[in-house]
Amino acid sequence: MLEGGETLGGGCRSAELTLPGFVHDTCSTVHALALASPFLSALPLAEHGLELAHPEAPLAHPLDDGSAVVLERSVDETARGLGPDGDAWRGLFGPLVRNSESLFGDLLAPLRPPRHPLLMARFGLSGLRSAVGLARSRFEGERARALLAGCCAHSMLSLRTPASAAFGIVLVTSAHAVGWPVARGGSQRLADALADHLRSLGGTIETGRLVESLDELGGGPVLLDLTPRQFLRVAGDRLPDGYRRRMSRYRYGPGIFKLDWALDGPVPWRAPEVARAGTVHLGGTLDEIAASEAAATGGEHHERPYVLFVQPSGFDPTRAPEGKHTAWAYCHVPHGSTRDMTGAIEAQVERFAPGFRDLIAARHAMDSAEVEARNPNYVGGDINGGVQDLRQLYTRPVARPVPYGTPAPGVFICSSSTPPGGGVHGMCGYWAARAALRG
Ligand SMILES: Cc1cc2nc3c(=O)[nH]c(=O)nc-3n(C[C@H](O)[C@H](O)[C@H](O)COP(=O)(O)OP(=O)(O)OC[C@H]3O[C@@H](n4cnc5c(N)ncnc54)[C@H](O)[C@@H]3O)c2cc1C
């Protein structure tokens, strides 16, 4: 395995971005999809040092009235906090959670006849809708609508786009079914466990080895963890014109602006139950979140952006010196944006946790350009390896019977620009490897 960066892990790396003793994840932290993944969950990663830490509740969503909606591990407990929408929550998620293993097996795969057609039909009836459409038709109260909207917004799509509900349904189902844990000690531990496992099987790893051309690589199948734009560069003239043209039409989505903080104490949430959660969605109501996501996908910066906030040190104390804490947050911004969103993000945290700014001992900021500079797979700051709308979810990187294969013999693509798309689940690599083994 050849890695261009000086350290291993790509979207699963940790570093002391702020002060000594504070461990920050430069990218992913919450590993629900790793647990839901049929492939990663089957690997003996615990034997290679991986320990998962679960927060008491996967997610909290504070509101302006001082209360918070909590996504609990249990469907029933969550439903109890949703007032009139409790039954609708149970009706939507109960059957999916009860059959989650089958559901994830079908969803975390390329387009193929589903193994569980009735279950997939049930999922599709809601998942193919827009997040706004689903939330408004299934729920009457603001609490359930907001909770669902925050989860759907991980899609980086406008919440009025068809199928923008799918991402949220998958995330909520994973929260109920397997939880939203973090790797104790930082996400780097997950990458390190994978690397250790690979070495134990006889694999070799070289870091600091940025591959510029396919000509540098020997014979045998080659799997490239690259998005289309990088692949075109590296493959040079080995690709026919028609394929190149189709690849160059691949669409990338909005970027992110991310902050990492070293904190002098726990976040002073106005609603105390927010402290029980690992992830916090800051953005108020469905309408507000929808407006924020419409702006980012439409090329604009929103003054009050929807903010995805993660506070791992509350349940993984290895991440900060005693009594101190780490947290990170990002908001979606237009593709390639270099606008400083520090003030806007911190204002959203202050809105639900007055006094937060006073706790900041140090901060580290990354705009979309820097996100890409640190990892070339995040083109323009797009952390999903390209737009994940209906048109591009299964046709990533181009429509082909085996999307992982390319016209260059023995060359396969295994990045999140292949199905099933972004997130730390390892399934793009798994399916690409199966395609490579078939030849
Ligand atoms: C801030 C942030 C937060 C996130 N949070 C979560 C989360 O909580 N949960 C979750 O599931 N997902 C999360 N994600 C998304 C997730 O990290 C990505 O979707 C996923 O890592 C993409 O996988 P990938 O294999 O396509 O690319 P990566 O994991 O980025 O790996 C690509 C690797 O290839 C290397 N590379 C690129 N070009 C070359 C080259 N030419 N030669 C050699 N090496 C090269 C890169 O250095 C990198 O190591 C987050 C991402 C970011 C940025």
Side-chain angles (χ1 to χ4, degrees):
M1 199 193 91
L2 306 176
E3 164 57 52
E6 291 304 326
T7 55
L8 276 178
C12 265
R13 275 180 292 176
S14 308
E16 278 185 350
L17 294 175
T18 54
L19 298 172
F22 289 83
V23 178
H24 302 278
D25 294 331
T26 47
C27 304
S28 67
T29 295
V30 180
H31 294 302
L33 294 177
L35 265 190
S37 161
F39 173 60
L40 282 190
S41 62
L43 296 183
L45 298 180
E47 289 169 27
H48 295 282
L50 178 67
E51 265 183 81
L52 295 176
H54 282 268
E56 234 180 282
L59 167 73
H61 188 125
L63 295 167
D64 282 321
D65 63 4
S67 75
V69 200
V70 180
L71 180 64
E72 306 278 0
R73 284 296 305 273
S74 142
V75 176
D76 283 335
E77 244 180 273
T78 308
R80 273 196 284 280
L82 296 175
D85 289 318
D87 284 344
W89 192 268
R90 266 189 223 100
L92 179 57
F93 291 108
L96 301 178
V97 173
R98 281 194 291 280
N99 298 288
S100 61
E101 218 172 294
S102 308
L103 182 73
F104 293 136
D106 270 338
L107 285 174
L108 295 176
L111 196 58
R112 57 174 188 167
R115 304 276 188 271
H116 307 91
L118 290 180
L119 183 62
M120 281 296 274
R122 178 184 273 278
F123 171 81
L125 275 176
S126 301
L128 289 173
R129 304 194 60 183
S130 76
V132 170
L134 181 68
R136 288 220 176 109
S137 66
R138 289 297 285 242
F139 306 124
E140 56 187 74
E142 218 34 83
R143 294 171 70 80
R145 287 179 177 178
L147 187 60
L148 183 66
C151 293
C152 296
H154 285 240
S155 64
M156 299 178 85
L157 299 172
S158 155
L159 299 191
R160 295 197 157 73
T161 308
S164 52
F167 224 88
I169 296 174
V170 169
L171 288 182
V172 172
T173 304
S174 72
H176 289 314
V178 296
W180 286 8
V182 306
R184 195 178 293 281
S187 289
Q188 187 71 49
R189 299 289 176 88
L190 173 51
D192 288 349
L194 281 165
D196 211 41
H197 181 46
L198 177 67
R199 289 193 194 97
S200 75
L201 299 172
T204 57
I205 299 174
E206 199 182 323
T207 52
R209 174 79 195 278
L210 190 73
V211 175
E212 315 243 16
S213 161
L214 276 182
D215 298 337
E216 295 167 37
L217 307 172
V222 172
L223 281 84
L224 299 172
D225 191 352
L226 300 177
T227 80
R229 197 174 296 174
Q230 301 149 276
F231 174 61
L232 288 175
R233 243 187 342 255
V234 166
D237 56 12
R238 290 219 207 164
L239 303 171
D241 284 349
Y243 181 82
R244 287 193 78 86
R245 258 197 312 278
R246 285 162 66 208
M247 257 317 211
S248 60
R249 286 199 290 267
Y250 188 79
R251 290 171 297 128
Y252 291 93
I256 60 162
F257 183 96
K258 180 174 188 250
L259 291 173
D260 283 274
W261 296 282
L263 300 173
D264 280 332
V267 183
W269 299 110
R270 193 184 297 138
E273 59 270 37
V274 180
R276 297 175 48 233
T279 302
V280 187
H281 289 160
L282 306 171
T285 62
L286 163 71
D287 286 347
E288 215 187 311
I289 297 172
S292 162
E293 297 311 283
T297 50
E300 284 170 26
H301 298 84
H302 201 269
E303 262 172 52
R304 295 221 294 182
Y306 157 74
V307 169
L308 230 145
F309 184 99
V310 180
Q311 45 182 9
S313 53
F315 55 101
D316 176 9
T318 64
R319 292 176 180 242
E322 210 182 328
K324 311 282 182 188
H325 286 273
T326 61
W328 65 249
Y330 68 67
C331 69
H332 300 143
V333 290
H335 184 86
S337 162
T338 52
R339 166 103 52 108
D340 185 352
M341 297 296 283
T342 304
I345 290 179
E346 290 183 355
Q348 286 289 59
V349 186
E350 278 281 329
R351 176 175 162 195
F352 300 104
F356 169 76
R357 278 201 191 97
D358 300 337
L359 292 170
I360 300 174
R363 80 162 68 71
H364 176 272
M366 278 190 282
D367 62 22
S368 282
E370 188 175 343
V371 169
E372 181 175 357
R374 283 172 171 266
N375 184 338
N377 277 39
Y378 302 144
V379 177
D382 178 352
I383 65 173
N384 277 334
V387 175
Q388 301 206 131
D389 60 7
L390 214 43
R391 209 150 47 92
Q392 199 166 254
L393 186 57
Y394 290 110
T395 60
R396 54 208 294 125
V398 293
R400 279 172 75 90
V402 181
Y404 311 94
T406 73
V411 177
F412 298 84
I413 302 179
C414 65
S415 70
S416 55
S417 301
T418 61
V424 177
H425 44 63
M427 294 306 289
C428 304
Y430 171 80
W431 291 108
R434 285 188 51 151
L437 287 169
R438 278 198 306 272

